[in-house]
Amino acid sequence: MTAEPYSLKRHICLITGAGRGIGAEVARVVAAAGASTVINYHTSEREALQLLEDLTARGCQVMAVKADISKSRDVEAMFAGIQAEWGPVDLLVNNAGVSLKRLLTETSEAEWQQVMDTNLKGAFLCSRQALPAMVRNRFGRIVNIASVWGLRGASCEAVYAASKGGLIALTRSLAAEMGPSGICVNAVAPGPVQTDMLNQELDHDEITALAADIPLGRLATPGDVAATCLFLLSPAAGYVNGQVVGLDGGWKV
Ligand code: NAP
């Protein structure tokens, strides 16, 4: 074990969807742990540039890159830009995602496609870009942000749950495929986390009722998710592979 089991110094970490929400907190934590940190954003340019400024002012090495991770051309350009500036990404957090609360019978094909393209295809495209250099260097870490819904399913969120279930299967499969190359692939499956995504779906009373149902008596914070990501990316987790870390405060439905 290294003398600094939670240090990410000398690593290059890309976090997708890091302009706000969980991704932004992961970026703060990995940058503080010493990683050269890439903040990917799509529409939240103002927030991403503010985060870039804040972290740079604290002495962290950070860049922000705009890319729609559901588009292969954008993803290729993003990785080429990072490679040209800093070198290969060796820590990847596939965080970007969209939710959809809808009866299945009222879900359009376009909505299905948007959720799948962002939550599942995006992770495929980014992993596909990151893996060749990880294999060459015989080191890499991929953390996929799934959801408890991907494990349990959820009424009125079947498409979202299916995308996260697919992400969990992708995680376990890649862990088996890439383990022999020294690459660990894991997922985090949070329950409800206090971000814009949750606030769009639930009102204040629903959030209070949900918190009361969770043994720890509160929803997760982005910091809870970021701390788990830091562990999975760190030298301390060198033997953790193919796992889905539930992060739900002991909540069971
Ligand atoms: P959020 O606040 O709504 O943020 C979503 C993030 O995804 C934003 O940064 C957004 O970027 C990015 N994104 C969406 N589509 C994108 C695209 N095509 N290309 C690049 N980035 C894209 O949500 P959050 O709660 O932080 O969620 C982060 C992850 O955690 C998601 O995968 C979500 O499914 C998962 N999760 C959330 C919860 C929860 O309760 N909040 C629970 C379990 C799992 P822009 O703003 O720049 O467009």
Side-chain angles (χ1 to χ4, degrees):
M1 172 58 67
T2 158
E4 294 186 293
Y6 300 103
S7 169
L8 302 183
K9 282 177 202 155
R10 292 176 293 283
H11 292 288
I12 299 174
C13 182
L14 165 64
I15 306 108
T16 66
R20 61 193 175 91
I22 292 168
E25 195 56 28
V26 176
R28 285 185 195 99
V29 166
V30 301
S36 297
T37 302
V38 186
I39 299 165
N40 158 252
Y41 65 95
H42 181 212
T43 59
S44 296
E45 183 159 75
R46 191 175 49 78
E47 291 90 336
L49 296 182
Q50 184 62 56
L51 182 59
L52 172 79
E53 198 180 310
D54 292 349
L55 293 176
T56 305
R58 279 182 225 167
C60 304
Q61 190 176 28
V62 189
M63 75 165 91
V65 184
K66 178 175 176 147
D68 177 346
I69 53 97
S70 69
K71 304 267 189 316
S72 56
R73 226 180 16 207
D74 277 27
V75 171
E76 282 163 22
M78 173 166 67
F79 273 84
I82 301 165
Q83 171 69 43
E85 285 283 320
W86 287 350
V89 169
D90 61 354
L91 309 176
L92 169 65
V93 181
N94 287 311
N95 164 77
V98 289
S99 62
L100 181 71
K101 198 165 189 185
R102 193 88 82 247
L103 285 170
L104 189 83
T105 47
E106 292 176 1
T107 302
S108 70
E109 203 173 328
E111 286 170 328
W112 163 276
Q113 204 57 54
Q114 196 218 353
V115 173
M116 290 297 166
D117 282 357
T118 310
N119 296 1
L120 188 50
K121 185 182 160 196
F124 155 67
L125 291 175
C126 290
S127 302
R128 194 175 61 165
Q129 281 294 313
L131 280 166
M134 291 181 178
V135 171
R136 267 198 309 280
N137 296 325
R138 299 199 61 77
F139 175 84
R141 297 282 167 82
I142 298 178
V143 177
N144 295 322
I145 308 299
S147 164
V148 287
W149 295 150
L151 293 165
R152 302 177 196 167
S155 169
C156 297
E157 294 193 66
V159 178
Y160 177 76
S163 73
K164 295 298 186 178
L167 189 58
I168 287 168
L170 182 72
T171 301
R172 291 181 170 140
S173 305
L174 265 187
E177 196 170 310
M178 293 298 155
S181 300
I183 298 161
C184 297
V185 185
N186 293 288
V188 181
V193 188
Q194 284 177 312
T195 65
D196 296 344
M197 184 178 279
L198 192 79
N199 293 331
Q200 278 158 17
E201 289 181 359
L202 302 178
D203 63 28
H204 179 264
D205 289 348
E206 288 171 317
I207 290 176
T208 305
L210 195 51
D213 207 31
I214 294 172
L216 287 181
R218 66 171 178 87
L219 272 49
T221 64
D224 293 321
V225 184
T228 305
C229 290
L230 173 62
F231 169 67
L232 292 172
L233 294 167
S234 72
Y239 200 63
V240 182
N241 191 27
Q243 301 305 304
V244 181
V245 181
L247 201 66
D248 59 8
W251 188 45
K252 295 282 172 275
V253 287

